[in-house]
PDB file of all heavy atoms in Angstrom:
ATOM      1  N   ILE A1354     -21.029 -33.329-115.601  1.00  0.00           N
ATOM      2  CA  ILE A1354     -21.653 -31.952-115.480  1.00  0.00           C
ATOM      3  C   ILE A1354     -23.198 -32.209-115.166  1.00  0.00           C
ATOM      4  O   ILE A1354     -23.881 -32.855-115.957  1.00  0.00           O
ATOM      5  CB  ILE A1354     -21.568 -31.105-116.708  1.00  0.00           C
ATOM      6  CG1 ILE A1354     -19.958 -30.839-116.854  1.00  0.00           C
ATOM      7  CG2 ILE A1354     -22.215 -29.789-116.605  1.00  0.00           C
ATOM      8  CD1 ILE A1354     -19.621 -30.022-118.138  1.00  0.00           C
ATOM      9  N   LEU A1355     -23.668 -31.695-114.182  1.00  0.00           N
ATOM     10  CA  LEU A1355     -25.110 -31.764-113.787  1.00  0.00           C
ATOM     11  C   LEU A1355     -25.575 -30.427-113.646  1.00  0.00           C
ATOM     12  O   LEU A1355     -25.216 -29.518-112.949  1.00  0.00           O
ATOM     13  CB  LEU A1355     -25.156 -32.482-112.440  1.00  0.00           C
ATOM     14  CG  LEU A1355     -26.640 -32.631-111.823  1.00  0.00           C
ATOM     15  CD1 LEU A1355     -27.655 -33.412-112.758  1.00  0.00           C
ATOM     16  CD2 LEU A1355     -26.668 -33.403-110.517  1.00  0.00           C
ATOM     17  N   VAL A1356     -26.673 -30.084-114.488  1.00  0.00           N
ATOM     18  CA  VAL A1356     -27.396 -28.761-114.379  1.00  0.00           C
ATOM     19  C   VAL A1356     -28.664 -28.932-113.704  1.00  0.00           C
ATOM     20  O   VAL A1356     -29.555 -29.741-114.271  1.00  0.00           O
ATOM     21  CB  VAL A1356     -27.469 -28.206-115.884  1.00  0.00           C
ATOM     22  CG1 VAL A1356     -28.092 -26.914-115.749  1.00  0.00           C
ATOM     23  CG2 VAL A1356     -26.139 -27.993-116.501  1.00  0.00           C
ATOM     24  N   GLY A1357     -28.980 -28.156-112.686  1.00  0.00           N
ATOM     25  CA  GLY A1357     -30.307 -28.041-112.117  1.00  0.00           C
ATOM     26  C   GLY A1357     -30.560 -29.142-110.990  1.00  0.00           C
ATOM     27  O   GLY A1357     -29.547 -29.993-110.752  1.00  0.00           O
ATOM     28  N   TYR A1385     -24.261 -27.160-111.684  1.00  0.00           N
ATOM     29  CA  TYR A1385     -24.590 -25.809-111.980  1.00  0.00           C
ATOM     30  C   TYR A1385     -26.107 -25.597-111.729  1.00  0.00           C
ATOM     31  O   TYR A1385     -26.968 -26.561-111.825  1.00  0.00           O
ATOM     32  CB  TYR A1385     -24.351 -25.543-113.532  1.00  0.00           C
ATOM     33  CG  TYR A1385     -22.812 -25.448-113.702  1.00  0.00           C
ATOM     34  CD1 TYR A1385     -22.164 -26.594-114.308  1.00  0.00           C
ATOM     35  CD2 TYR A1385     -22.263 -24.262-113.719  1.00  0.00           C
ATOM     36  CE1 TYR A1385     -20.871 -26.596-114.585  1.00  0.00           C
ATOM     37  CE2 TYR A1385     -20.766 -24.285-114.013  1.00  0.00           C
ATOM     38  CZ  TYR A1385     -20.128 -25.365-114.481  1.00  0.00           C
ATOM     39  OH  TYR A1385     -18.901 -25.388-114.731  1.00  0.00           O
ATOM     40  N   ASP A1386     -26.382 -24.366-111.397  1.00  0.00           N
ATOM     41  CA  ASP A1386     -27.869 -23.949-111.208  1.00  0.00           C
ATOM     42  C   ASP A1386     -28.536 -24.036-112.507  1.00  0.00           C
ATOM     43  O   ASP A1386     -27.951 -23.832-113.603  1.00  0.00           O
ATOM     44  CB  ASP A1386     -27.859 -22.542-110.677  1.00  0.00           C
ATOM     45  CG  ASP A1386     -29.036 -22.262-109.938  1.00  0.00           C
ATOM     46  OD1 ASP A1386     -29.334 -22.939-108.879  1.00  0.00           O
ATOM     47  OD2 ASP A1386     -29.799 -21.366-110.395  1.00  0.00           O
ATOM     48  N   ASP A1387     -29.882 -24.195-112.396  1.00  0.00           N
ATOM     49  CA  ASP A1387     -30.742 -24.268-113.681  1.00  0.00           C
ATOM     50  C   ASP A1387     -30.537 -23.041-114.602  1.00  0.00           C
ATOM     51  O   ASP A1387     -30.715 -22.990-115.693  1.00  0.00           O
ATOM     52  CB  ASP A1387     -32.215 -24.244-113.161  1.00  0.00           C
ATOM     53  CG  ASP A1387     -32.855 -25.554-113.306  1.00  0.00           C
ATOM     54  OD1 ASP A1387     -32.420 -26.264-114.122  1.00  0.00           O
ATOM     55  OD2 ASP A1387     -33.677 -25.751-112.465  1.00  0.00           O
ATOM     56  N   SER A1388     -30.103 -21.854-113.865  1.00  0.00           N
ATOM     57  CA  SER A1388     -30.040 -20.663-114.633  1.00  0.00           C
ATOM     58  C   SER A1388     -28.632 -20.473-115.288  1.00  0.00           C
ATOM     59  O   SER A1388     -28.479 -19.401-115.902  1.00  0.00           O
ATOM     60  CB  SER A1388     -30.306 -19.479-113.637  1.00  0.00           C
ATOM     61  OG  SER A1388     -29.246 -19.562-112.623  1.00  0.00           O
ATOM     62  N   VAL A1389     -27.774 -21.450-115.221  1.00  0.00           N
ATOM     63  CA  VAL A1389     -26.449 -21.341-115.825  1.00  0.00           C
ATOM     64  C   VAL A1389     -26.650 -20.936-117.362  1.00  0.00           C
ATOM     65  O   VAL A1389     -27.516 -21.476-118.033  1.00  0.00           O
ATOM     66  CB  VAL A1389     -25.558 -22.560-115.736  1.00  0.00           C
ATOM     67  CG1 VAL A1389     -26.160 -23.755-116.390  1.00  0.00           C
ATOM     68  CG2 VAL A1389     -24.097 -22.370-116.118  1.00  0.00           C
ATOM     69  N   SER A1390     -25.723 -20.119-117.750  1.00  0.00           N
ATOM     70  CA  SER A1390     -25.789 -19.777-119.183  1.00  0.00           C
ATOM     71  C   SER A1390     -25.153 -20.691-120.081  1.00  0.00           C
ATOM     72  O   SER A1390     -24.229 -21.634-119.748  1.00  0.00           O
ATOM     73  CB  SER A1390     -25.225 -18.447-119.437  1.00  0.00           C
ATOM     74  OG  SER A1390     -23.773 -18.476-119.381  1.00  0.00           O
ATOM     75  N   GLU A1391     -25.603 -20.737-121.485  1.00  0.00           N
ATOM     76  CA  GLU A1391     -24.988 -21.739-122.406  1.00  0.00           C
ATOM     77  C   GLU A1391     -23.491 -21.474-122.458  1.00  0.00           C
ATOM     78  O   GLU A1391     -22.687 -22.381-122.532  1.00  0.00           O
ATOM     79  CB  GLU A1391     -25.593 -21.539-123.629  1.00  0.00           C
ATOM     80  CG  GLU A1391     -25.316 -22.604-124.764  1.00  0.00           C
ATOM     81  CD  GLU A1391     -26.082 -22.335-125.966  1.00  0.00           C
ATOM     82  OE1 GLU A1391     -27.377 -22.797-126.040  1.00  0.00           O
ATOM     83  OE2 GLU A1391     -25.718 -21.696-126.852  1.00  0.00           O
ATOM     84  N   GLU A1392     -23.109 -20.153-122.461  1.00  0.00           N
ATOM     85  CA  GLU A1392     -21.667 -19.874-122.648  1.00  0.00           C
ATOM     86  C   GLU A1392     -20.818 -20.443-121.404  1.00  0.00           C
ATOM     87  O   GLU A1392     -19.723 -21.024-121.727  1.00  0.00           O
ATOM     88  CB  GLU A1392     -21.607 -18.349-122.610  1.00  0.00           C
ATOM     89  CG  GLU A1392     -20.218 -17.777-123.057  1.00  0.00           C
ATOM     90  CD  GLU A1392     -20.089 -16.397-122.865  1.00  0.00           C
ATOM     91  OE1 GLU A1392     -21.074 -15.651-122.398  1.00  0.00           O
ATOM     92  OE2 GLU A1392     -18.911 -15.857-123.107  1.00  0.00           O
ATOM     93  N   VAL A1393     -21.393 -20.253-120.353  1.00  0.00           N
ATOM     94  CA  VAL A1393     -20.563 -20.902-119.155  1.00  0.00           C
ATOM     95  C   VAL A1393     -20.380 -22.266-119.337  1.00  0.00           C
ATOM     96  O   VAL A1393     -19.210 -22.938-119.090  1.00  0.00           O
ATOM     97  CB  VAL A1393     -21.273 -20.453-117.847  1.00  0.00           C
ATOM     98  CG1 VAL A1393     -20.728 -21.253-116.647  1.00  0.00           C
ATOM     99  CG2 VAL A1393     -21.152 -19.000-117.520  1.00  0.00           C
ATOM    100  N   LEU A1394     -21.469 -23.071-119.723  1.00  0.00           N
ATOM    101  CA  LEU A1394     -21.437 -24.488-119.907  1.00  0.00           C
ATOM    102  C   LEU A1394     -20.498 -24.900-120.964  1.00  0.00           C
ATOM    103  O   LEU A1394     -19.576 -25.701-120.854  1.00  0.00           O
ATOM    104  CB  LEU A1394     -22.775 -24.984-120.193  1.00  0.00           C
ATOM    105  CG  LEU A1394     -23.072 -26.364-119.809  1.00  0.00           C
ATOM    106  CD1 LEU A1394     -22.913 -26.554-118.243  1.00  0.00           C
ATOM    107  CD2 LEU A1394     -24.634 -26.731-120.054  1.00  0.00           C
ATOM    108  N   LEU A1395     -20.504 -24.101-122.127  1.00  0.00           N
ATOM    109  CA  LEU A1395     -19.590 -24.385-123.169  1.00  0.00           C
ATOM    110  C   LEU A1395     -18.124 -24.228-122.950  1.00  0.00           C
ATOM    111  O   LEU A1395     -17.299 -24.970-123.257  1.00  0.00           O
ATOM    112  CB  LEU A1395     -20.050 -23.577-124.528  1.00  0.00           C
ATOM    113  CG  LEU A1395     -21.316 -24.040-125.124  1.00  0.00           C
ATOM    114  CD1 LEU A1395     -21.688 -23.049-126.253  1.00  0.00           C
ATOM    115  CD2 LEU A1395     -21.286 -25.426-125.653  1.00  0.00           C
ATOM    116  N   ILE A1398     -16.937 -27.118-120.925  1.00  0.00           N
ATOM    117  CA  ILE A1398     -16.767 -28.260-121.759  1.00  0.00           C
ATOM    118  C   ILE A1398     -15.295 -28.019-122.411  1.00  0.00           C
ATOM    119  O   ILE A1398     -14.507 -29.102-122.472  1.00  0.00           O
ATOM    120  CB  ILE A1398     -17.899 -28.358-122.858  1.00  0.00           C
ATOM    121  CG1 ILE A1398     -19.076 -28.893-122.103  1.00  0.00           C
ATOM    122  CG2 ILE A1398     -17.498 -29.364-123.827  1.00  0.00           C
ATOM    123  CD1 ILE A1398     -20.378 -28.905-122.789  1.00  0.00           C
ATOM    124  N   VAL A1412     -22.182 -34.935-119.876  1.00  0.00           N
ATOM    125  CA  VAL A1412     -23.120 -33.840-119.552  1.00  0.00           C
ATOM    126  C   VAL A1412     -24.524 -34.562-119.358  1.00  0.00           C
ATOM    127  O   VAL A1412     -25.067 -34.965-120.386  1.00  0.00           O
ATOM    128  CB  VAL A1412     -23.241 -32.694-120.599  1.00  0.00           C
ATOM    129  CG1 VAL A1412     -24.237 -31.655-120.148  1.00  0.00           C
ATOM    130  CG2 VAL A1412     -21.971 -32.139-120.993  1.00  0.00           C
ATOM    131  N   GLN A1413     -25.032 -34.459-118.083  1.00  0.00           N
ATOM    132  CA  GLN A1413     -26.368 -35.254-117.946  1.00  0.00           C
ATOM    133  C   GLN A1413     -27.502 -34.525-118.507  1.00  0.00           C
ATOM    134  O   GLN A1413     -27.680 -33.322-118.373  1.00  0.00           O
ATOM    135  CB  GLN A1413     -26.649 -35.315-116.297  1.00  0.00           C
ATOM    136  CG  GLN A1413     -27.854 -36.131-115.936  1.00  0.00           C
ATOM    137  CD  GLN A1413     -27.689 -37.608-116.227  1.00  0.00           C
ATOM    138  OE1 GLN A1413     -26.598 -38.166-116.195  1.00  0.00           O
ATOM    139  NE2 GLN A1413     -28.721 -38.162-116.809  1.00  0.00           N
ATOM    140  N   LEU A1414     -28.231 -35.218-119.322  1.00  0.00           N
ATOM    141  CA  LEU A1414     -29.414 -34.627-120.094  1.00  0.00           C
ATOM    142  C   LEU A1414     -30.622 -35.021-119.281  1.00  0.00           C
ATOM    143  O   LEU A1414     -30.597 -35.962-118.663  1.00  0.00           O
ATOM    144  CB  LEU A1414     -29.383 -35.112-121.474  1.00  0.00           C
ATOM    145  CG  LEU A1414     -28.152 -34.870-122.430  1.00  0.00           C
ATOM    146  CD1 LEU A1414     -28.329 -35.478-123.767  1.00  0.00           C
ATOM    147  CD2 LEU A1414     -27.857 -33.466-122.493  1.00  0.00           C
ATOM    148  N   PRO A1415     -31.805 -34.308-119.420  1.00  0.00           N
ATOM    149  CA  PRO A1415     -31.997 -33.103-120.218  1.00  0.00           C
ATOM    150  C   PRO A1415     -31.360 -31.866-119.604  1.00  0.00           C
ATOM    151  O   PRO A1415     -31.156 -31.837-118.445  1.00  0.00           O
ATOM    152  CB  PRO A1415     -33.398 -33.035-120.409  1.00  0.00           C
ATOM    153  CG  PRO A1415     -34.013 -33.597-119.029  1.00  0.00           C
ATOM    154  CD  PRO A1415     -33.038 -34.712-118.760  1.00  0.00           C
ATOM    155  N   LEU A1416     -31.161 -30.855-120.483  1.00  0.00           N
ATOM    156  CA  LEU A1416     -30.679 -29.565-120.030  1.00  0.00           C
ATOM    157  C   LEU A1416     -31.832 -28.506-120.089  1.00  0.00           C
ATOM    158  O   LEU A1416     -32.854 -28.824-120.799  1.00  0.00           O
ATOM    159  CB  LEU A1416     -29.602 -29.126-120.944  1.00  0.00           C
ATOM    160  CG  LEU A1416     -28.244 -29.835-120.929  1.00  0.00           C
ATOM    161  CD1 LEU A1416     -27.273 -29.494-122.073  1.00  0.00           C
ATOM    162  CD2 LEU A1416     -27.683 -29.736-119.524  1.00  0.00           C
ATOM    163  N   PRO A1417     -31.811 -27.486-119.304  1.00  0.00           N
ATOM    164  CA  PRO A1417     -32.830 -26.544-119.268  1.00  0.00           C
ATOM    165  C   PRO A1417     -33.073 -26.107-120.721  1.00  0.00           C
ATOM    166  O   PRO A1417     -32.147 -26.000-121.539  1.00  0.00           O
ATOM    167  CB  PRO A1417     -32.316 -25.440-118.360  1.00  0.00           C
ATOM    168  CG  PRO A1417     -31.235 -25.954-117.607  1.00  0.00           C
ATOM    169  CD  PRO A1417     -30.687 -27.113-118.490  1.00  0.00           C
ATOM    170  N   PRO A1418     -34.326 -25.578-121.046  1.00  0.00           N
ATOM    171  CA  PRO A1418     -34.769 -25.275-122.520  1.00  0.00           C
ATOM    172  C   PRO A1418     -33.837 -24.040-123.051  1.00  0.00           C
ATOM    173  O   PRO A1418     -33.692 -24.113-124.302  1.00  0.00           O
ATOM    174  CB  PRO A1418     -36.202 -24.816-122.240  1.00  0.00           C
ATOM    175  CG  PRO A1418     -36.603 -25.033-120.872  1.00  0.00           C
ATOM    176  CD  PRO A1418     -35.370 -25.571-120.102  1.00  0.00           C
ATOM    177  N   HIS A1419     -33.287 -23.261-122.261  1.00  0.00           N
ATOM    178  CA  HIS A1419     -32.517 -22.209-122.789  1.00  0.00           C
ATOM    179  C   HIS A1419     -31.116 -22.624-123.231  1.00  0.00           C
ATOM    180  O   HIS A1419     -30.354 -21.822-123.917  1.00  0.00           O
ATOM    181  CB  HIS A1419     -32.330 -20.946-121.818  1.00  0.00           C
ATOM    182  CG  HIS A1419     -31.580 -21.317-120.669  1.00  0.00           C
ATOM    183  ND1 HIS A1419     -31.975 -21.897-119.538  1.00  0.00           N
ATOM    184  CD2 HIS A1419     -30.276 -20.948-120.324  1.00  0.00           C
ATOM    185  CE1 HIS A1419     -31.103 -22.050-118.622  1.00  0.00           C
ATOM    186  NE2 HIS A1419     -30.000 -21.538-119.074  1.00  0.00           N
ATOM    187  N   ILE A1420     -30.781 -23.843-123.057  1.00  0.00           N
ATOM    188  CA  ILE A1420     -29.499 -24.356-123.466  1.00  0.00           C
ATOM    189  C   ILE A1420     -29.694 -25.299-124.688  1.00  0.00           C
ATOM    190  O   ILE A1420     -30.489 -26.280-124.551  1.00  0.00           O
ATOM    191  CB  ILE A1420     -28.675 -25.031-122.316  1.00  0.00           C
ATOM    192  CG1 ILE A1420     -28.436 -23.992-121.308  1.00  0.00           C
ATOM    193  CG2 ILE A1420     -27.371 -25.630-122.874  1.00  0.00           C
ATOM    194  CD1 ILE A1420     -27.826 -24.545-119.926  1.00  0.00           C
ATOM    195  N   ASP A1421     -29.009 -25.072-125.685  1.00  0.00           N
ATOM    196  CA  ASP A1421     -29.086 -25.941-126.947  1.00  0.00           C
ATOM    197  C   ASP A1421     -28.307 -27.220-126.834  1.00  0.00           C
ATOM    198  O   ASP A1421     -26.963 -27.197-126.753  1.00  0.00           O
ATOM    199  CB  ASP A1421     -28.497 -25.057-128.172  1.00  0.00           C
ATOM    200  CG  ASP A1421     -28.738 -25.753-129.413  1.00  0.00           C
ATOM    201  OD1 ASP A1421     -28.888 -27.072-129.443  1.00  0.00           O
ATOM    202  OD2 ASP A1421     -28.735 -25.162-130.469  1.00  0.00           O
ATOM    203  N   GLU A1422     -29.012 -28.284-126.583  1.00  0.00           N
ATOM    204  CA  GLU A1422     -28.283 -29.595-126.350  1.00  0.00           C
ATOM    205  C   GLU A1422     -27.311 -30.013-127.539  1.00  0.00           C
ATOM    206  O   GLU A1422     -26.312 -30.611-127.180  1.00  0.00           O
ATOM    207  CB  GLU A1422     -29.382 -30.757-126.071  1.00  0.00           C
ATOM    208  CG  GLU A1422     -29.945 -30.657-124.770  1.00  0.00           C
ATOM    209  CD  GLU A1422     -30.792 -31.853-124.394  1.00  0.00           C
ATOM    210  OE1 GLU A1422     -30.990 -32.731-125.188  1.00  0.00           O
ATOM    211  OE2 GLU A1422     -31.430 -31.862-123.283  1.00  0.00           O
ATOM    212  N   THR A1423     -27.853 -29.691-128.735  1.00  0.00           N
ATOM    213  CA  THR A1423     -26.985 -30.145-129.850  1.00  0.00           C
ATOM    214  C   THR A1423     -25.653 -29.402-129.762  1.00  0.00           C
ATOM    215  O   THR A1423     -24.610 -29.972-129.967  1.00  0.00           O
ATOM    216  CB  THR A1423     -27.729 -29.855-131.112  1.00  0.00           C
ATOM    217  OG1 THR A1423     -28.948 -30.456-131.160  1.00  0.00           O
ATOM    218  CG2 THR A1423     -26.943 -30.199-132.383  1.00  0.00           C
ATOM    219  N   LYS A1424     -25.663 -28.124-129.464  1.00  0.00           N
ATOM    220  CA  LYS A1424     -24.539 -27.283-129.346  1.00  0.00           C
ATOM    221  C   LYS A1424     -23.486 -27.885-128.247  1.00  0.00           C
ATOM    222  O   LYS A1424     -22.358 -28.023-128.488  1.00  0.00           O
ATOM    223  CB  LYS A1424     -24.724 -25.907-128.925  1.00  0.00           C
ATOM    224  CG  LYS A1424     -24.627 -24.911-130.056  1.00  0.00           C
ATOM    225  CD  LYS A1424     -24.657 -23.462-129.368  1.00  0.00           C
ATOM    226  CE  LYS A1424     -25.069 -22.489-130.329  1.00  0.00           C
ATOM    227  NZ  LYS A1424     -25.488 -21.159-129.701  1.00  0.00           N
ATOM    228  N   VAL A1425     -24.176 -28.293-127.151  1.00  0.00           N
ATOM    229  CA  VAL A1425     -23.401 -28.872-126.074  1.00  0.00           C
ATOM    230  C   VAL A1425     -22.820 -30.192-126.430  1.00  0.00           C
ATOM    231  O   VAL A1425     -21.555 -30.323-126.292  1.00  0.00           O
ATOM    232  CB  VAL A1425     -24.300 -29.088-124.799  1.00  0.00           C
ATOM    233  CG1 VAL A1425     -23.619 -29.920-123.875  1.00  0.00           C
ATOM    234  CG2 VAL A1425     -24.696 -27.751-124.248  1.00  0.00           C
ATOM    235  N   ILE A1426     -23.465 -30.980-127.197  1.00  0.00           N
ATOM    236  CA  ILE A1426     -22.937 -32.350-127.606  1.00  0.00           C
ATOM    237  C   ILE A1426     -21.804 -32.147-128.636  1.00  0.00           C
ATOM    238  O   ILE A1426     -20.745 -32.784-128.556  1.00  0.00           O
ATOM    239  CB  ILE A1426     -24.028 -33.289-128.156  1.00  0.00           C
ATOM    240  CG1 ILE A1426     -24.968 -33.665-127.036  1.00  0.00           C
ATOM    241  CG2 ILE A1426     -23.509 -34.467-128.851  1.00  0.00           C
ATOM    242  CD1 ILE A1426     -26.287 -34.401-127.489  1.00  0.00           C
TER     243      ILE A1426
END
Side-chain angles (χ1 to χ4, degrees):
I1354 296 180
L1355 174 61
V1356 179
Y1385 292 93
D1386 201 67
D1387 260 328
S1388 61
V1389 66
S1390 71
E1391 190 176 275
E1392 194 191 353
V1393 167
L1394 208 56
L1395 291 174
I1398 289 170
V1412 180
Q1413 186 66 39
L1414 303 179
L1416 294 169
H1419 66 279
I1420 298 175
D1421 183 341
E1422 283 188 1
T1423 306
K1424 250 192 203 170
V1425 166
I1426 290 169

